[in-house]
Amino acid sequence: MDERPETELISIPATPRVSTPEILTPSGQRSPRPATKSSSAAWTPTSFISPRFLSPIGTPMKRVLVNMKGYLEEVGHLTKLNPQDAWLPITESRNGNAHYAAFHNLNAGVGFQALVLPVAFAFLGWSWGILSLTIAYIWQLYTLWILVQLHEAVPGKRYNRYVELAQAAFGERLGVWLALFPTVYLSAGTATALILIGGETMKLFFQIVCGPLCTSNPLTTLEWYLVFTSLCIVLSQLPNLNSIAGLSLIGAVTAITYSTMVWVLSVSQTRPDTISYEPLSMPSLSGSLFSVLNALGIVAFAFRGHNLVLEIQSTMPSTFKHPAHVPMWRGAKVSYFFIALCIFPISIGGFWAYGNLMPSGGMLAALYAFHIDDIPRGLLATAFLLVVFSCLSSFQIYSMPAFDSFEAGYTSRTNKPCSIWVRSGFRVFFGFVSFFIGVALPFLSSLAGLLGGLTLPVTFAYPCFMWVLIKKPAKYSFNWYFHWGLGWLGVAFSLAFSIGGIWSMVTQGLKLKFFSPN
Protein backbone atom coordinates (compact mmCIF):
# COMPACT_ATOMS: atom_id res chain seq x y z
CA MET A 1 0.00 0.00 0.00
CA ASP A 2 1.40 3.36 -1.08
CA GLU A 3 1.98 5.99 1.57
CA ARG A 4 0.33 9.36 1.19
CA PRO A 5 2.51 12.41 0.78
CA GLU A 6 3.55 14.06 4.00
CA THR A 7 1.66 17.23 3.22
CA GLU A 8 -1.66 15.39 3.24
CA LEU A 9 -1.08 14.21 6.78
CA ILE A 10 -1.31 17.76 8.09
CA SER A 11 -4.03 19.04 5.85
CA ILE A 12 -7.34 18.14 4.29
CA PRO A 13 -7.57 14.71 2.64
CA ALA A 14 -7.27 14.89 -1.09
CA THR A 15 -10.52 14.86 -3.02
CA PRO A 16 -10.68 14.19 -6.73
CA ARG A 17 -11.92 17.29 -8.60
CA VAL A 18 -13.82 15.15 -11.08
CA SER A 19 -16.16 13.77 -8.47
CA THR A 20 -16.57 17.07 -6.60
CA PRO A 21 -16.67 20.06 -9.00
CA GLU A 22 -17.59 22.49 -6.18
CA ILE A 23 -15.79 23.38 -2.98
CA LEU A 24 -16.69 25.32 0.13
CA THR A 25 -15.35 28.89 0.16
CA PRO A 26 -14.35 30.65 3.42
CA SER A 27 -17.74 32.35 3.53
CA GLY A 28 -19.53 28.99 3.50
CA GLN A 29 -20.94 29.32 -0.05
CA ARG A 30 -20.32 26.73 -2.73
CA SER A 31 -18.22 27.86 -5.65
CA PRO A 32 -17.63 25.87 -8.83
CA ARG A 33 -14.10 25.03 -9.87
CA PRO A 34 -13.13 24.06 -13.36
CA ALA A 35 -12.10 20.47 -13.88
CA THR A 36 -8.44 19.80 -14.42
CA LYS A 37 -6.91 17.78 -17.18
CA SER A 38 -5.81 15.02 -14.85
CA SER A 39 -8.65 13.47 -12.91
CA SER A 40 -6.28 11.78 -10.55
CA ALA A 41 -4.61 15.08 -9.50
CA ALA A 42 -5.68 16.14 -6.05
CA TRP A 43 -5.76 19.67 -4.57
CA THR A 44 -4.02 19.69 -1.24
CA PRO A 45 -3.22 22.73 0.93
CA THR A 46 0.40 22.84 1.88
CA SER A 47 0.14 24.61 5.25
CA PHE A 48 -2.12 25.20 8.20
CA ILE A 49 -2.99 28.70 6.88
CA SER A 50 -5.92 27.53 4.81
CA PRO A 51 -9.45 28.87 4.37
CA ARG A 52 -10.81 26.36 6.86
CA PHE A 53 -8.43 27.59 9.53
CA LEU A 54 -8.97 31.30 8.73
CA SER A 55 -12.74 31.24 8.53
CA PRO A 56 -13.63 30.85 12.23
CA ILE A 57 -10.92 33.33 13.31
CA GLY A 58 -10.87 36.00 10.56
CA THR A 59 -14.58 36.77 10.47
CA PRO A 60 -14.99 37.84 14.15
CA MET A 61 -11.76 39.84 13.99
CA LYS A 62 -12.97 41.63 10.89
CA ARG A 63 -16.23 42.48 12.61
CA VAL A 64 -14.37 43.87 15.59
CA LEU A 65 -12.20 46.06 13.34
CA VAL A 66 -15.20 47.32 11.37
CA ASN A 67 -17.09 48.13 14.56
CA MET A 68 -14.04 49.90 16.01
CA LYS A 69 -13.64 51.96 12.85
CA GLY A 70 -17.29 53.00 12.95
CA TYR A 71 -16.99 53.90 16.62
CA LEU A 72 -13.96 56.09 16.00
CA GLU A 73 -15.70 57.77 13.07
CA GLU A 74 -18.71 58.60 15.21
CA VAL A 75 -16.98 59.41 18.48
CA GLY A 76 -14.17 61.47 17.03
CA HIS A 77 -10.45 61.96 17.14
CA LEU A 78 -10.01 60.67 20.67
CA THR A 79 -9.39 64.29 21.63
CA LYS A 80 -8.00 64.91 25.07
CA LEU A 81 -10.90 66.92 26.45
CA ASN A 82 -10.41 69.51 29.13
CA PRO A 83 -13.26 69.11 31.64
CA GLN A 84 -13.18 72.85 32.21
CA ASP A 85 -14.32 73.45 28.62
CA ALA A 86 -17.75 72.08 29.50
CA TRP A 87 -18.18 74.98 31.95
CA LEU A 88 -17.13 77.85 29.67
CA PRO A 89 -19.51 79.79 27.39
CA ILE A 90 -17.57 79.23 24.16
CA THR A 91 -17.23 75.44 24.45
CA GLU A 92 -20.20 74.70 26.71
CA SER A 93 -22.41 73.73 23.76
CA ARG A 94 -21.08 71.82 20.75
CA ASN A 95 -24.20 71.45 18.62
CA GLY A 96 -23.32 74.16 16.11
CA ASN A 97 -23.63 73.72 12.34
CA ALA A 98 -22.96 75.48 9.06
CA HIS A 99 -25.98 77.76 9.49
CA TYR A 100 -24.77 78.97 12.88
CA ALA A 101 -21.30 79.54 11.42
CA ALA A 102 -22.76 81.68 8.64
CA PHE A 103 -24.85 83.72 11.11
CA HIS A 104 -21.92 84.33 13.48
CA ASN A 105 -19.43 85.21 10.74
CA LEU A 106 -21.87 87.62 9.10
CA ASN A 107 -22.68 89.24 12.41
CA ALA A 108 -18.99 89.65 13.20
CA GLY A 109 -17.86 90.58 9.68
CA VAL A 110 -20.35 93.28 8.71
CA GLY A 111 -20.72 96.30 10.93
CA PHE A 112 -19.98 99.94 11.52
CA GLN A 113 -16.44 99.65 10.18
CA ALA A 114 -17.82 99.11 6.65
CA LEU A 115 -19.57 102.49 6.79
CA VAL A 116 -16.23 104.37 6.88
CA LEU A 117 -14.76 102.67 3.79
CA PRO A 118 -15.73 105.62 1.50
CA VAL A 119 -13.52 107.78 3.73
CA ALA A 120 -10.55 105.67 2.62
CA PHE A 121 -11.59 106.05 -1.03
CA ALA A 122 -11.47 109.85 -0.61
CA PHE A 123 -7.68 109.53 -0.12
CA LEU A 124 -7.05 106.59 -2.46
CA GLY A 125 -9.27 107.42 -5.43
CA TRP A 126 -11.12 104.99 -7.67
CA SER A 127 -8.34 102.74 -8.93
CA TRP A 128 -6.27 102.31 -5.78
CA GLY A 129 -9.37 102.18 -3.58
CA ILE A 130 -10.98 99.29 -5.49
CA LEU A 131 -7.65 97.48 -5.93
CA SER A 132 -6.72 97.67 -2.24
CA LEU A 133 -10.19 96.59 -1.14
CA THR A 134 -10.14 93.59 -3.51
CA ILE A 135 -6.65 92.47 -2.44
CA ALA A 136 -7.55 92.82 1.24
CA TYR A 137 -10.75 90.80 0.74
CA ILE A 138 -8.97 87.90 -1.01
CA TRP A 139 -6.08 87.97 1.46
CA GLN A 140 -8.26 87.82 4.56
CA LEU A 141 -10.45 85.11 3.02
CA TYR A 142 -7.37 82.95 2.51
CA THR A 143 -6.14 83.50 6.08
CA LEU A 144 -9.61 82.61 7.33
CA TRP A 145 -9.32 79.29 5.45
CA ILE A 146 -5.94 78.76 7.15
CA LEU A 147 -7.47 79.24 10.61
CA VAL A 148 -10.30 76.84 9.81
CA GLN A 149 -7.80 74.16 8.76
CA LEU A 150 -5.53 74.72 11.78
CA HIS A 151 -8.36 74.23 14.29
CA GLU A 152 -7.58 70.49 14.41
CA ALA A 153 -4.16 70.46 12.77
CA VAL A 154 -2.68 68.32 15.56
CA PRO A 155 -4.41 64.94 16.11
CA GLY A 156 -6.09 64.74 19.48
CA LYS A 157 -6.18 68.50 20.02
CA ARG A 158 -8.73 71.20 19.22
CA TYR A 159 -7.56 74.81 19.39
CA ASN A 160 -10.74 76.45 20.60
CA ARG A 161 -9.39 79.98 20.93
CA TYR A 162 -7.09 82.19 18.90
CA VAL A 163 -4.61 82.63 21.74
CA GLU A 164 -4.37 78.83 22.18
CA LEU A 165 -3.40 78.41 18.53
CA ALA A 166 -0.85 81.24 18.82
CA GLN A 167 0.70 79.54 21.85
CA ALA A 168 0.92 76.23 19.98
CA ALA A 169 2.68 77.94 17.06
CA PHE A 170 4.88 80.57 18.72
CA GLY A 171 5.33 79.09 22.20
CA GLU A 172 3.57 79.68 25.48
CA ARG A 173 4.98 83.12 26.31
CA LEU A 174 5.57 84.56 22.86
CA GLY A 175 2.14 83.44 21.69
CA VAL A 176 0.48 85.33 24.53
CA TRP A 177 2.54 88.46 23.90
CA LEU A 178 1.81 88.47 20.17
CA ALA A 179 -1.87 87.59 20.20
CA LEU A 180 -3.25 88.80 23.52
CA PHE A 181 -3.36 92.57 22.94
CA PRO A 182 -4.90 92.56 19.43
CA THR A 183 -7.47 89.92 20.34
CA VAL A 184 -8.38 91.71 23.57
CA TYR A 185 -8.86 94.94 21.67
CA LEU A 186 -10.87 93.24 18.93
CA SER A 187 -13.12 91.88 21.66
CA ALA A 188 -13.33 94.48 24.42
CA GLY A 189 -12.34 97.46 22.26
CA THR A 190 -14.93 96.63 19.64
CA ALA A 191 -17.57 96.24 22.37
CA THR A 192 -16.70 99.73 23.61
CA ALA A 193 -16.84 101.19 20.10
CA LEU A 194 -20.23 99.54 19.59
CA ILE A 195 -21.55 101.26 22.71
CA LEU A 196 -20.38 104.63 21.36
CA ILE A 197 -21.83 104.11 17.90
CA GLY A 198 -25.00 102.45 19.16
CA GLY A 199 -25.69 105.21 21.67
CA GLU A 200 -25.05 108.00 19.18
CA THR A 201 -27.22 106.27 16.56
CA MET A 202 -30.06 105.91 19.06
CA LYS A 203 -29.82 109.65 19.73
CA LEU A 204 -30.00 110.44 15.99
CA PHE A 205 -32.89 108.03 15.58
CA PHE A 206 -34.81 109.79 18.35
CA GLN A 207 -34.11 113.20 16.77
CA ILE A 208 -35.31 112.02 13.35
CA VAL A 209 -38.49 110.38 14.65
CA CYS A 210 -39.38 113.12 17.10
CA GLY A 211 -38.33 116.01 14.88
CA PRO A 212 -39.53 119.50 15.79
CA LEU A 213 -42.37 118.07 17.90
CA CYS A 214 -40.01 117.28 20.78
CA THR A 215 -40.20 120.18 23.21
CA SER A 216 -39.17 118.29 26.34
CA ASN A 217 -35.56 117.99 27.41
CA PRO A 218 -33.99 115.21 25.30
CA LEU A 219 -31.56 112.69 26.72
CA THR A 220 -27.91 113.60 26.60
CA THR A 221 -25.34 111.54 24.71
CA LEU A 222 -24.11 110.07 27.98
CA GLU A 223 -27.62 108.94 28.87
CA TRP A 224 -28.07 107.34 25.44
CA TYR A 225 -24.82 105.43 26.03
CA LEU A 226 -26.26 104.18 29.30
CA VAL A 227 -29.53 103.10 27.64
CA PHE A 228 -27.67 101.18 24.97
CA THR A 229 -25.35 99.57 27.54
CA SER A 230 -28.34 98.43 29.61
CA LEU A 231 -29.88 96.76 26.55
CA CYS A 232 -26.56 95.02 25.82
CA ILE A 233 -26.34 93.72 29.40
CA VAL A 234 -29.87 92.31 29.27
CA LEU A 235 -29.14 90.44 26.02
CA SER A 236 -25.77 89.22 27.31
CA GLN A 237 -27.46 86.95 29.85
CA LEU A 238 -27.78 84.24 27.19
CA PRO A 239 -25.45 81.51 28.45
CA ASN A 240 -23.15 80.49 25.59
CA LEU A 241 -22.07 81.14 22.02
CA ASN A 242 -24.55 78.77 20.43
CA SER A 243 -27.42 80.32 22.35
CA ILE A 244 -26.90 83.68 20.61
CA ALA A 245 -27.25 82.19 17.11
CA GLY A 246 -30.68 83.82 16.83
CA LEU A 247 -29.22 87.20 17.76
CA SER A 248 -26.44 86.69 15.21
CA LEU A 249 -29.07 86.00 12.57
CA ILE A 250 -30.86 89.23 13.48
CA GLY A 251 -27.56 91.09 13.41
CA ALA A 252 -26.66 89.64 10.01
CA VAL A 253 -30.04 90.47 8.45
CA THR A 254 -30.07 94.00 9.84
CA ALA A 255 -26.46 94.64 8.77
CA ILE A 256 -27.15 93.53 5.21
CA THR A 257 -30.37 95.56 5.13
CA TYR A 258 -28.99 98.84 6.44
CA SER A 259 -25.82 98.51 4.32
CA THR A 260 -27.98 98.19 1.23
CA MET A 261 -30.31 100.98 2.32
CA VAL A 262 -27.47 103.40 3.04
CA TRP A 263 -25.78 103.15 -0.34
CA VAL A 264 -29.06 102.96 -2.29
CA LEU A 265 -30.41 106.08 -0.56
CA SER A 266 -27.13 107.89 -1.19
CA VAL A 267 -26.93 106.97 -4.87
CA SER A 268 -30.59 107.82 -5.51
CA GLN A 269 -30.15 111.43 -4.33
CA THR A 270 -28.66 114.35 -6.22
CA ARG A 271 -24.92 114.62 -5.74
CA PRO A 272 -23.45 117.78 -4.19
CA ASP A 273 -22.50 120.47 -6.70
CA THR A 274 -18.90 120.74 -5.54
CA ILE A 275 -18.23 117.00 -5.63
CA SER A 276 -14.82 115.83 -6.84
CA TYR A 277 -13.26 112.40 -7.22
CA GLU A 278 -9.66 113.52 -7.08
CA PRO A 279 -7.87 111.98 -4.08
CA LEU A 280 -7.37 114.40 -1.22
CA SER A 281 -3.79 115.62 -1.22
CA MET A 282 -1.61 117.16 1.45
CA PRO A 283 0.83 120.07 1.05
CA SER A 284 3.88 117.82 1.37
CA LEU A 285 4.80 114.49 -0.19
CA SER A 286 5.26 112.88 3.22
CA GLY A 287 1.84 114.14 4.26
CA SER A 288 0.20 112.58 1.23
CA LEU A 289 2.05 109.30 1.84
CA PHE A 290 0.94 109.06 5.45
CA SER A 291 -2.65 109.93 4.46
CA VAL A 292 -2.64 107.02 2.01
CA LEU A 293 -1.27 104.70 4.69
CA ASN A 294 -3.98 105.82 7.09
CA ALA A 295 -6.61 105.14 4.40
CA LEU A 296 -5.19 101.64 3.85
CA GLY A 297 -5.42 101.11 7.61
CA ILE A 298 -9.14 101.94 7.40
CA VAL A 299 -9.50 99.30 4.65
CA ALA A 300 -7.70 96.75 6.84
CA PHE A 301 -9.90 97.63 9.83
CA ALA A 302 -13.00 96.84 7.75
CA PHE A 303 -12.11 93.14 7.81
CA ARG A 304 -12.52 91.92 11.36
CA GLY A 305 -13.78 88.73 12.92
CA HIS A 306 -10.74 86.47 12.52
CA ASN A 307 -10.26 86.56 16.28
CA LEU A 308 -13.62 84.73 16.53
CA VAL A 309 -13.14 82.06 13.84
CA LEU A 310 -11.72 79.36 16.12
CA GLU A 311 -14.26 80.18 18.82
CA ILE A 312 -17.13 79.74 16.35
CA GLN A 313 -15.66 76.48 15.03
CA SER A 314 -15.23 75.12 18.55
CA THR A 315 -19.03 75.11 18.99
CA MET A 316 -19.34 72.34 16.38
CA PRO A 317 -19.04 68.59 16.93
CA SER A 318 -16.07 67.02 15.18
CA THR A 319 -15.43 63.38 14.29
CA PHE A 320 -13.29 61.44 11.83
CA LYS A 321 -16.28 61.04 9.57
CA HIS A 322 -17.63 64.58 10.01
CA PRO A 323 -14.77 66.98 10.89
CA ALA A 324 -15.72 70.46 12.06
CA HIS A 325 -13.82 72.27 9.33
CA VAL A 326 -16.31 71.12 6.67
CA PRO A 327 -19.45 72.89 7.99
CA MET A 328 -17.36 75.80 9.25
CA TRP A 329 -15.88 76.50 5.84
CA ARG A 330 -19.26 76.03 4.17
CA GLY A 331 -20.81 78.62 6.47
CA ALA A 332 -17.83 80.97 6.10
CA LYS A 333 -18.08 80.93 2.30
CA VAL A 334 -21.75 81.87 2.41
CA SER A 335 -21.17 84.63 4.95
CA TYR A 336 -18.26 86.19 3.08
CA PHE A 337 -20.26 86.16 -0.13
CA PHE A 338 -22.80 88.41 1.58
CA ILE A 339 -20.01 90.46 3.19
CA ALA A 340 -18.69 91.21 -0.29
CA LEU A 341 -22.20 92.26 -1.34
CA CYS A 342 -22.15 94.78 1.50
CA ILE A 343 -18.67 96.31 1.55
CA PHE A 344 -18.08 96.76 -2.18
CA PRO A 345 -21.37 98.59 -2.94
CA ILE A 346 -20.95 100.76 0.18
CA SER A 347 -17.41 101.74 -0.81
CA ILE A 348 -18.12 102.37 -4.48
CA GLY A 349 -21.62 103.81 -4.08
CA GLY A 350 -20.65 106.02 -1.15
CA PHE A 351 -17.64 107.47 -2.95
CA TRP A 352 -19.71 108.03 -6.10
CA ALA A 353 -22.40 109.87 -4.12
CA TYR A 354 -20.13 112.12 -2.02
CA GLY A 355 -16.63 111.95 -3.52
CA ASN A 356 -13.95 113.59 -1.43
CA LEU A 357 -16.65 115.50 0.49
CA MET A 358 -17.23 112.38 2.55
CA PRO A 359 -17.27 113.27 6.29
CA SER A 360 -14.84 111.45 8.55
CA GLY A 361 -17.81 109.85 10.32
CA GLY A 362 -18.70 107.77 7.27
CA MET A 363 -21.94 107.04 5.45
CA LEU A 364 -24.38 107.73 8.28
CA ALA A 365 -22.84 111.13 8.92
CA ALA A 366 -22.99 111.90 5.18
CA LEU A 367 -26.65 110.94 4.96
CA TYR A 368 -27.48 113.09 7.95
CA ALA A 369 -25.41 116.05 6.70
CA PHE A 370 -26.41 116.13 3.02
CA HIS A 371 -29.88 114.56 2.82
CA ILE A 372 -31.63 115.12 6.13
CA ASP A 373 -34.33 117.10 4.28
CA ASP A 374 -34.37 115.08 1.04
CA ILE A 375 -34.99 111.54 2.29
CA PRO A 376 -38.32 110.67 3.95
CA ARG A 377 -37.90 110.59 7.69
CA GLY A 378 -39.37 107.09 7.86
CA LEU A 379 -36.68 105.61 5.61
CA LEU A 380 -33.89 107.47 7.37
CA ALA A 381 -35.17 106.45 10.80
CA THR A 382 -35.44 102.81 9.67
CA ALA A 383 -31.82 102.79 8.53
CA PHE A 384 -30.66 104.22 11.86
CA LEU A 385 -32.80 101.76 13.83
CA LEU A 386 -31.31 98.82 11.89
CA VAL A 387 -27.84 100.06 12.81
CA VAL A 388 -28.87 99.99 16.48
CA PHE A 389 -30.10 96.39 16.19
CA SER A 390 -26.90 95.37 14.41
CA CYS A 391 -24.73 96.96 17.12
CA LEU A 392 -26.72 95.21 19.87
CA SER A 393 -26.20 91.84 18.17
CA SER A 394 -22.52 92.42 17.40
CA PHE A 395 -21.87 93.38 21.02
CA GLN A 396 -22.88 89.87 22.11
CA ILE A 397 -20.52 87.91 19.87
CA TYR A 398 -17.56 90.25 20.40
CA SER A 399 -18.05 90.15 24.17
CA MET A 400 -18.20 86.36 24.35
CA PRO A 401 -14.37 85.88 24.46
CA ALA A 402 -14.22 88.31 27.39
CA PHE A 403 -16.99 86.42 29.21
CA ASP A 404 -15.09 83.21 28.50
CA SER A 405 -11.88 84.62 30.00
CA PHE A 406 -13.65 85.79 33.17
CA GLU A 407 -15.27 82.41 33.72
CA ALA A 408 -12.06 80.52 32.88
CA GLY A 409 -10.27 82.39 35.66
CA TYR A 410 -13.07 81.66 38.11
CA THR A 411 -13.39 77.94 37.29
CA SER A 412 -9.63 77.37 37.37
CA ARG A 413 -9.48 78.76 40.91
CA THR A 414 -12.64 77.18 42.33
CA ASN A 415 -12.69 73.99 40.22
CA LYS A 416 -16.44 74.30 39.73
CA PRO A 417 -18.69 75.94 37.13
CA CYS A 418 -20.00 79.47 37.55
CA SER A 419 -23.40 79.82 39.11
CA ILE A 420 -26.00 81.88 37.28
CA TRP A 421 -25.39 84.80 39.66
CA VAL A 422 -21.63 84.76 39.16
CA ARG A 423 -22.04 84.54 35.39
CA SER A 424 -24.52 87.43 35.39
CA GLY A 425 -22.22 89.45 37.62
CA PHE A 426 -19.30 89.04 35.20
CA ARG A 427 -21.42 90.23 32.29
CA VAL A 428 -22.83 93.21 34.11
CA PHE A 429 -19.31 94.13 35.19
CA PHE A 430 -17.97 93.88 31.62
CA GLY A 431 -20.84 95.94 30.23
CA PHE A 432 -20.32 98.82 32.63
CA VAL A 433 -16.51 98.71 32.26
CA SER A 434 -17.01 99.08 28.50
CA PHE A 435 -19.44 101.93 29.16
CA PHE A 436 -16.90 103.65 31.44
CA ILE A 437 -14.14 103.34 28.83
CA GLY A 438 -16.47 104.71 26.17
CA VAL A 439 -17.32 107.71 28.34
CA ALA A 440 -13.69 108.28 29.32
CA LEU A 441 -12.42 107.89 25.72
CA PRO A 442 -15.26 109.11 23.46
CA PHE A 443 -12.82 109.61 20.57
CA LEU A 444 -12.08 105.86 20.37
CA SER A 445 -14.29 105.30 17.31
CA SER A 446 -12.29 107.87 15.29
CA LEU A 447 -9.05 105.86 15.53
CA ALA A 448 -9.99 103.45 12.73
CA GLY A 449 -6.71 103.85 10.81
CA LEU A 450 -4.45 103.39 13.83
CA LEU A 451 -6.43 100.51 15.29
CA GLY A 452 -6.62 98.86 11.90
CA GLY A 453 -2.84 98.88 11.73
CA LEU A 454 -2.35 97.56 15.26
CA THR A 455 -4.80 94.68 14.86
CA LEU A 456 -3.89 93.84 11.25
CA PRO A 457 -1.51 90.93 12.12
CA VAL A 458 -4.39 88.93 13.64
CA THR A 459 -6.08 88.85 10.24
CA PHE A 460 -3.30 89.09 7.67
CA ALA A 461 0.01 87.97 9.23
CA TYR A 462 -0.25 85.56 12.17
CA PRO A 463 -2.29 82.87 10.33
CA CYS A 464 0.46 82.61 7.67
CA PHE A 465 3.17 82.21 10.32
CA MET A 466 1.12 79.65 12.25
CA TRP A 467 0.56 77.61 9.09
CA VAL A 468 4.34 77.28 8.54
CA LEU A 469 5.14 76.56 12.19
CA ILE A 470 2.40 73.94 12.68
CA LYS A 471 2.10 72.32 9.24
CA LYS A 472 5.89 72.48 8.67
CA PRO A 473 6.02 72.49 4.85
CA ALA A 474 9.28 71.54 3.15
CA LYS A 475 11.92 74.18 3.81
CA TYR A 476 12.61 76.50 0.86
CA SER A 477 9.60 75.14 -1.02
CA PHE A 478 7.07 77.43 -2.68
CA ASN A 479 4.62 76.83 0.17
CA TRP A 480 7.30 77.79 2.71
CA TYR A 481 8.36 80.96 0.87
CA PHE A 482 4.77 82.00 0.12
CA HIS A 483 3.51 81.90 3.71
CA TRP A 484 6.61 83.45 5.24
CA GLY A 485 6.54 86.23 2.64
CA LEU A 486 2.82 86.86 3.06
CA GLY A 487 3.18 86.97 6.84
CA TRP A 488 6.08 89.43 6.85
CA LEU A 489 4.28 91.58 4.29
CA GLY A 490 1.37 91.76 6.71
CA VAL A 491 3.69 92.81 9.54
CA ALA A 492 5.22 95.53 7.35
CA PHE A 493 1.76 96.83 6.46
CA SER A 494 0.82 96.80 10.13
CA LEU A 495 3.75 99.04 11.03
CA ALA A 496 3.17 101.36 8.07
CA PHE A 497 -0.56 101.72 8.72
CA SER A 498 0.03 102.37 12.41
CA ILE A 499 2.50 105.15 11.57
CA GLY A 500 0.03 106.57 9.09
CA GLY A 501 -2.73 106.54 11.70
CA ILE A 502 -0.55 108.32 14.26
CA TRP A 503 0.47 110.92 11.69
CA SER A 504 -3.18 111.52 10.75
CA MET A 505 -4.03 112.08 14.40
CA VAL A 506 -1.18 114.57 14.82
CA THR A 507 -1.75 116.61 11.66
CA GLN A 508 -5.53 116.63 11.42
CA GLY A 509 -5.99 116.98 15.13
CA LEU A 510 -7.80 114.69 17.52
CA LYS A 511 -9.97 116.21 20.18
CA LEU A 512 -8.95 114.26 23.24
CA LYS A 513 -11.93 115.21 25.35
CA PHE A 514 -11.81 112.76 28.19
CA PHE A 515 -15.14 112.16 29.93
CA SER A 516 -16.78 114.59 27.48
CA PRO A 517 -18.97 112.69 25.00
CA ASN A 518 -20.57 114.87 22.35
Side-chain angles (χ1 to χ4, degrees):
M1 181 177 175
D2 297 336
E3 293 184 357
R4 294 183 178 180
E6 184 178 357
T7 54
E8 291 186 356
L9 294 176
I10 59 173
S11 183
I12 304 171
T15 305
R17 294 183 185 272
V18 177
S19 60
T20 309
E22 296 181 342
I23 64 169
L24 286 176
T25 63
S27 60
Q29 298 178 352
R30 304 187 67 82
S31 175
R33 288 186 178 273
T36 58
K37 293 181 181 179
S38 176
S39 60
S40 61
W43 175 77
T44 304
T46 58
S47 69
F48 286 105
I49 308 176
S50 66
R52 290 186 183 273
F53 285 101
L54 285 176
S55 179
I57 299 177
T59 302
M61 287 297 295
K62 182 179 180 181
R63 290 175 182 172
V64 169
L65 293 176
V66 170
N67 292 337
M68 181 64 70
K69 180 182 178 182
Y71 175 78
L72 291 175
E73 288 178 347
E74 294 300 327
V75 171
H77 298 259
L78 296 180
T79 304
K80 297 178 181 179
L81 298 177
N82 183 1
Q84 187 184 11
D85 282 344
W87 300 338
L88 302 180
I90 287 179
T91 50
E92 186 178 58
S93 172
R94 292 190 185 268
N95 59 354
N97 51 46
H99 299 91
Y100 286 11
F103 300 157
H104 290 318
N105 279 293
L106 259 175
N107 189 25
V110 181
F112 68 90
Q113 76 282 359
L115 298 176
V116 297
L117 281 172
V119 178
F121 273 55
F123 292 94
L124 298 173
W126 282 117
S127 300
W128 287 107
I130 295 175
L131 182 62
S132 62
L133 188 63
T134 303
I135 293 175
Y137 177 81
I138 297 173
W139 190 346
Q140 60 86 34
L141 188 61
Y142 176 67
T143 55
L144 184 142
W145 176 84
I146 289 178
L147 291 176
V148 171
Q149 299 300 316
L150 291 180
H151 176 71
E152 292 178 288
V154 178
K157 174 67 177 177
R158 294 185 71 175
Y159 299 109
N160 298 317
R161 296 158 186 87
Y162 194 98
V163 176
E164 292 180 6
L165 183 61
Q167 288 178 306
F170 302 117
E172 293 290 332
R173 292 187 178 181
L174 184 59
V176 171
W177 279 102
L178 292 176
L180 189 60
F181 168 74
T183 54
V184 166
Y185 169 75
L186 287 172
S187 179
T190 302
T192 301
L194 287 169
I195 289 178
L196 299 178
I197 294 172
E200 293 170 359
T201 308
M202 289 182 74
K203 179 181 178 180
L204 293 175
F205 170 77
F206 180 78
Q207 292 175 352
I208 293 171
V209 171
C210 198
L213 301 178
C214 293
T215 56
S216 60
N217 294 327
L219 296 178
T220 64
T221 304
L222 178 62
E223 291 169 337
W224 281 115
Y225 290 166
L226 185 59
V227 171
F228 185 85
T229 303
S230 301
L231 293 175
C232 289
I233 291 174
V234 171
L235 293 176
S236 69
Q237 300 308 312
L238 292 172
N240 53 59
L241 188 55
N242 270 338
S243 65
I244 66 170
L247 285 178
S248 291
L249 174 60
I250 294 174
V253 172
T254 54
I256 294 173
T257 305
Y258 81 69
S259 299
T260 305
M261 287 184 64
V262 164
W263 73 263
V264 169
L265 289 175
S266 299
V267 170
S268 62
Q269 301 300 314
T270 304
R271 289 180 289 177
D273 297 332
T274 59
I275 191 172
S276 173
Y277 299 109
E278 290 295 324
L280 295 174
S281 59
M282 296 296 165
S284 63
L285 179 61
S286 60
S288 299
L289 176 62
F290 285 126
S291 296
V292 169
L293 292 176
N294 182 60
L296 292 174
I298 294 176
V299 173
F301 185 65
F303 297 103
R304 58 176 189 171
H306 281 52
N307 61 307
L308 299 171
V309 170
L310 297 175
E311 284 80 352
I312 295 171
Q313 192 170 350
S314 68
T315 64
M316 301 179 181
S318 184
T319 65
F320 280 140
K321 194 173 183 180
H322 303 288
H325 69 83
V326 175
M328 179 64 189
W329 181 237
R330 189 184 304 125
K333 287 187 294 184
V334 173
S335 64
Y336 274 84
F337 170 77
F338 284 103
I339 289 173
L341 293 183
C342 292
I343 61 174
F344 282 93
I346 282 182
S347 305
I348 297 171
F351 186 57
W352 182 89
Y354 305 108
N356 55 21
L357 300 177
M358 174 66 63
S360 59
M363 290 290 288
L364 291 180
L367 272 178
Y368 195 82
F370 291 100
H371 303 300
I372 185 63
D373 298 323
D374 301 330
I375 299 176
R377 286 196 304 167
L379 282 177
L380 203 57
T382 301
F384 280 72
L385 183 61
L386 291 174
V387 173
V388 173
F389 287 156
S390 176
C391 290
L392 284 171
S393 302
S394 297
F395 181 91
Q396 308 308 318
I397 191 167
Y398 275 97
S399 301
M400 197 59 69
F403 300 158
D404 189 83
S405 298
F406 288 148
E407 296 189 26
Y410 176 86
T411 55
S412 62
R413 286 175 173 81
T414 62
N415 198 27
K416 64 179 181 180
C418 293
S419 66
I420 187 172
W421 297 110
V422 173
R423 173 171 284 182
S424 298
F426 281 143
R427 300 183 182 198
V428 172
F429 171 77
F430 176 80
F432 281 110
V433 167
S434 301
F435 166 76
F436 177 80
I437 295 175
V439 172
L441 309 173
F443 52 86
L444 192 63
S445 58
S446 62
L447 305 179
L450 174 61
L451 298 176
L454 293 176
T455 58
L456 182 144
V458 172
T459 301
F460 295 95
Y462 291 164
C464 301
F465 293 146
M466 291 189 288
W467 177 268
V468 175
L469 295 173
I470 293 178
K471 288 292 187 178
K472 293 180 172 53
K475 200 171 184 180
Y476 306 123
S477 64
F478 173 78
N479 197 355
W480 188 86
Y481 276 117
F482 176 75
H483 288 94
W484 275 118
L486 202 61
W488 283 115
L489 186 63
V491 172
F493 281 155
S494 175
L495 296 175
F497 298 167
S498 300
I499 295 173
I502 294 173
W503 179 91
S504 178
M505 290 166 48
V506 172
T507 57
Q508 298 180 9
L510 181 65
K511 297 180 180 180
L512 302 177
K513 294 183 178 180
F514 298 95
F515 297 96
S516 298
N518 296 326

